[in-house]
Amino acid sequence: MAELTVEETAPAALAPLDVAALKPDFPVLNQEVHGRRLVYLDSAASSQHPRAVLEAMDRYYETTHANVHRGVYALAEEADRLYEDARRSVGRFIGAPDPTTEVIFTKNATESVNLVAASWGRKHLHEGDVVLLTEMEHHANLVPWLMLAEEQGVELRWLGVGDDYRLDLAELEELVTGVKLVACSAMSNVLGTITPFAEIAAVAHRAGALVLADGAQSVPHLPTDVQAMGCDFLVFSGHKMLGPTGIGVLWARRELLEEMPPFLGGGGMIRDVRRDGFTTNELPWKFEAGTPPIAEAVGLGAAVRYLEAIGMDRVRAHEVELTAYAQGALAGRFGEKVTIFGPEGTDGRGGVLSLAFGDVHPHDLAQVLDQSGVCVRAGHHCAKPLMRRLGVNATARASLYLYNDEEDVDALVDALAEADTLFG
Amino acid sequence: MNGLEDLYREIILDHYRSPRNRGELESPPAQRVEGFNPLCGDEVVVYVQVDGDRVTDIRIAGQGCSISQSSASLMSAAVKGKTVAEARDLIRTFKAMMQVHEASLEGDGGEAEAVDPEALGELAALQGVVKFPVRIKCATLSWNTLTQGLDEAEAG
């Protein structure tokens, strides 16, 4: 295989990212829409794929495909090896102490939360038990708990968002009393706020609660270490971190996974099936019923190797720099006409810029920007309780990733100026 | 900005900036119906007063994008004072105009109901929306909501 190892390609510590050299790795970015260069600023919704990921998946289908965990022939053994290699790569990427048992492949972060809610939640949460959420959660980390609240009478508490767009940690000590689980985003998909997860986890653990980190936004953009974060559960999606759709991850501490009942039932997750019952397979397969997304796992493995080769510290440093540039460019050009719903500066915030622009509705803004080739998302971003807290129905959100550069931000600013002309 | 001027015609921007019949009616006697577009979070509230067979008054509340708001405003101006039957005809004609695109995408454009832009007056300005399929739901939100209001008024 022509893939380079991490060691061979690892750059000098924190050398700036050469985006011009990296962009050609992403074929989709090399096109025009409406006669303008495509400027992709929607990576918080879904990111694009480097050739390394596409080729890994093609190669798998062209040379290897067979079902996993079943065959004794060479092809199936190779499929097995690639699938489990991907698991190890993903585990290493998040600092999992025991990747081969603790990394569960799911469909996406949403399914991972549902797995925890349906398995751990149904077993451990009963009427009157409390789950602490935050006002900035994505629906993926809200609705599964609302479902448990309806089903089992679980009580939900909410940690608020302050006027600085950060979690109101002063309330945490009081709110966490008697709580069994704190389910909290590590980085907001609307505000870009990076939550002090390790601090929250420490407070939660002192109060006897477990913690679930929604890493859908943080894992693609920040160095991740589940042990340093103090996670009990971490969920994330492959398609927001250069990987394909259809694959997500649940990482959890082994002791928790061992005593959790299975989530979906079917082939692969059993040790034995009799007419009167079944016993479950060992970890991690106990939670992987049915034929898994094998090519997608292989693609995700290639994605994390691509990110590792660049270095997540450098990805983060690049996004900090670009976010600061964008904040300056937007404020410089439009002054008070533009509102950015998110923390000021770049400390504790990622490259997610949720905008209000004068009186122009976000939907109209996104439409006008599209005519300039600029892709942003308009809407509630699956965070309606947060939208209510912000007092808006929708925002227009530009989100940055490693393949974006100052030219992309300039294109955004120029397109906003066109919207200003049209609606001003 | 090619293509955008088809979407954002001057009449549309005018109705967006200065919406007609904005406000509320006491309900009852008026019907009050809410419409939501879950994709974008837009909401419209239509108050419609039906006396006998006539739409004697209509008010629009809620918030949304220029297309949903201008469409609601244009609709309110178009149906106010009309009979319920005329209003329903107009709704049908307007929605047929909004379906042209979907039909032609499926390659059976010939089956789509032919729409005479003359019959729509100012509403024809919204014709450009069909070139932007994602926005069709914005344009039809208030019309579907009005249909519900008329149904409820007739069910009385």
Side-chain angles (χ1 to χ4, degrees):
Chain A
M1 228 172 279
E3 261 174 44
L4 299 173
T5 67
V6 174
E7 289 73 24
E8 279 164 336
T9 54
L14 293 190
L17 220 53
D18 184 354
V19 179
L22 180 150
K23 263 193 182 180
D25 288 350
F26 294 80
V28 80
L29 298 177
N30 182 29
Q31 64 175 301
E32 295 193 339
V33 287
H34 308 304
R36 309 282 282 268
R37 180 176 72 89
L38 175 72
V39 176
Y40 189 74
L41 297 174
D42 196 20
S43 297
S46 201
S47 56
Q48 300 297 350
H49 309 90
R51 274 186 217 283
V53 167
L54 304 172
E55 284 168 3
M57 294 174 72
D58 278 351
R59 197 162 52 235
Y60 165 76
Y61 277 125
E62 285 169 7
T63 66
T64 314
H65 176 69
N67 213 332
V68 290
H69 306 146
R70 285 164 184 73
V72 292
Y73 49 93
L75 205 63
E77 282 175 10
E78 179 63 4
D80 232 20
R81 190 185 69 75
L82 289 174
Y83 183 66
E84 296 303 328
D85 267 0
R87 194 190 308 277
R88 275 189 289 277
S89 296
V90 169
R92 182 181 63 220
F93 188 70
I94 57 170
D98 189 3
T100 55
T101 59
E102 295 175 338
V103 172
I104 313 290
F105 283 133
T106 61
K107 187 168 66 184
N108 45 36
T110 298
E111 185 177 282
S112 299
V113 179
N114 277 274
L115 192 166
V116 176
S119 169
W120 182 87
R122 283 215 191 97
K123 180 168 178 182
H124 292 283
L125 299 175
H126 305 287
E127 182 149 6
D129 285 338
V130 186
V131 173
L132 177 62
L133 304 168
T134 86
E135 263 183 335
M136 62 167 74
E137 297 311 306
H138 186 283
H139 294 166
N141 195 27
L142 292 181
V143 181
W145 307 114
L146 286 165
M147 286 162 68
L148 267 193
E150 272 185 21
E151 235 175 72
Q152 318 222 128
V154 171
E155 183 194 327
L156 303 181
R157 275 184 214 158
W158 301 82
L159 185 60
V161 174
D163 292 337
D164 58 355
Y165 302 106
R166 297 183 194 274
L167 290 176
D168 196 348
L169 293 179
E171 297 175 5
L172 179 61
E173 290 276 359
E174 194 185 326
L175 283 170
V176 85
T177 310
V179 163
K180 282 205 162 172
L181 177 75
V182 178
C184 173
S185 170
M187 174 172 153
S188 162
N189 70 313
V190 176
L191 307 171
T193 308
I194 297 167
T195 60
F197 196 87
E199 194 183 325
I200 293 166
V203 174
H205 286 153
R206 274 202 301 279
L210 295 181
V211 289
L212 178 146
D214 175 356
Q217 296 298 330
S218 69
V219 173
H221 299 277
L222 309 171
T224 301
D225 182 330
V226 288
Q227 297 180 85
M229 288 169 80
C231 297
D232 296 298
F233 304 98
L234 170 70
V235 305
F236 55 102
S237 290
H239 71 97
K240 296 189 202 286
M241 51 190 290
L242 312 184
T245 56
I247 183 121
V249 175
L250 165 66
W251 173 87
R253 285 195 294 112
R254 186 177 175 163
E255 313 87 89
L256 294 168
L257 291 171
E258 270 173 355
E259 56 89 38
M260 278 159 61
F263 172 46
L264 301 174
M269 52 72 73
I270 49 89
R271 187 193 304 274
D272 188 22
V273 181
R274 300 169 307 278
R275 290 167 74 126
D276 62 350
F278 70 96
T279 49
T280 54
N281 202 343
E282 40 191 76
L283 293 172
W285 307 294
K286 173 173 138 184
F287 291 104
E288 294 181 359
T291 298
I294 307 166
E296 287 76 4
V298 169
L300 178 57
V304 301
R305 286 193 291 276
Y306 183 91
L307 287 169
E308 278 176 331
I310 289 167
M312 289 307 292
D313 285 334
R314 287 174 78 209
V315 171
R316 169 65 182 150
H318 170 70
E319 289 175 20
V320 163
E321 202 176 305
L322 198 54
T323 301
Y325 179 78
Q327 288 167 328
L330 288 165
R333 182 83 162 259
F334 304 113
E336 300 208 330
K337 182 165 251 169
V338 68
T339 304
I340 302 176
F341 296 100
E344 281 177 30
T346 54
D347 283 348
R349 71 123 56 232
V352 176
L353 300 157
S354 273
L355 309 176
F357 189 75
D359 291 333
V360 186
H361 190 280
H363 216 148
D364 291 315
L365 210 52
Q367 188 88 62
V368 177
L369 264 49
D370 172 60
Q371 293 295 307
S372 298
V374 178
C375 312
V376 301
R377 186 145 297 245
H380 53 62
H381 315 299
C382 294
K384 290 198 84 169
L386 176 60
M387 290 287 133
R388 291 199 177 90
R389 166 70 181 84
L390 299 176
V392 294
N393 270 0
T395 71
R397 181 187 69 184
S399 50
L400 309 170
Y401 208 1
L402 74 174
Y403 38 65
N404 293 120
D405 54 16
E406 293 184 359
E407 215 182 313
D408 293 344
V409 172
D410 293 342
L412 168 70
V413 172
D414 289 343
L416 284 170
E418 290 186 43
D420 200 21
T421 310
L422 187 66
F423 288 99
Chain B
M1 304 286 275
N2 275 348
L4 274 187
E5 53 281 352
D6 280 339
L7 184 63
Y8 297 121
R9 300 264 177 86
E10 203 42 57
I11 294 175
I12 292 176
L13 292 176
D14 174 52
H15 276 260
Y16 178 48
R17 292 183 185 120
S18 323
R20 322 294 198 263
N21 301 304
R22 185 87 189 156
E24 300 179 3
L25 293 174
E26 198 178 325
S27 171
Q31 301 295 324
R32 176 187 187 280
V33 188
E34 294 177 4
F36 292 95
N37 184 343
L39 286 180
C40 60
D42 282 1
E43 55 186 58
V44 65
V45 187
V46 173
Y47 296 85
V48 58
Q49 176 71 47
V50 175
D51 293 306
D53 68 346
R54 204 162 282 276
V55 178
T56 52
D57 207 354
I58 182 167
R59 289 285 189 282
I60 308 288
Q63 47 185 320
C65 68
S66 62
I67 301 303
S68 73
Q69 295 299 291
S70 63
S71 183
S73 171
L74 282 157
M75 176 189 81
S76 71
V79 302
K80 196 169 171 177
K82 293 262 190 340
T83 66
V84 171
E86 287 167 338
R88 286 191 187 278
D89 275 347
L90 195 60
I91 293 170
R92 215 169 8 253
T93 311
F94 181 78
K95 290 188 70 176
M97 178 171 82
M98 288 295 133
Q99 277 160 10
V100 168
H101 186 83
E102 281 168 35
S104 58
L105 272 185
E106 287 156 16
D108 58 355
E111 288 176 30
E113 197 179 327
V115 176
D116 175 11
E118 297 271 308
L120 286 165
E122 278 198 326
L123 287 167
L126 284 160
Q127 209 166 9
V129 174
V130 296
K131 290 186 192 164
F132 298 84
V134 186
R135 307 303 293 279
I136 291 174
K137 278 195 160 43
C138 309
T140 54
L141 177 65
S142 56
W143 296 79
N144 291 329
T145 310
L146 175 61
T147 300
Q148 199 187 331
L150 294 177
D151 289 349
E152 286 177 15
E154 290 196 322

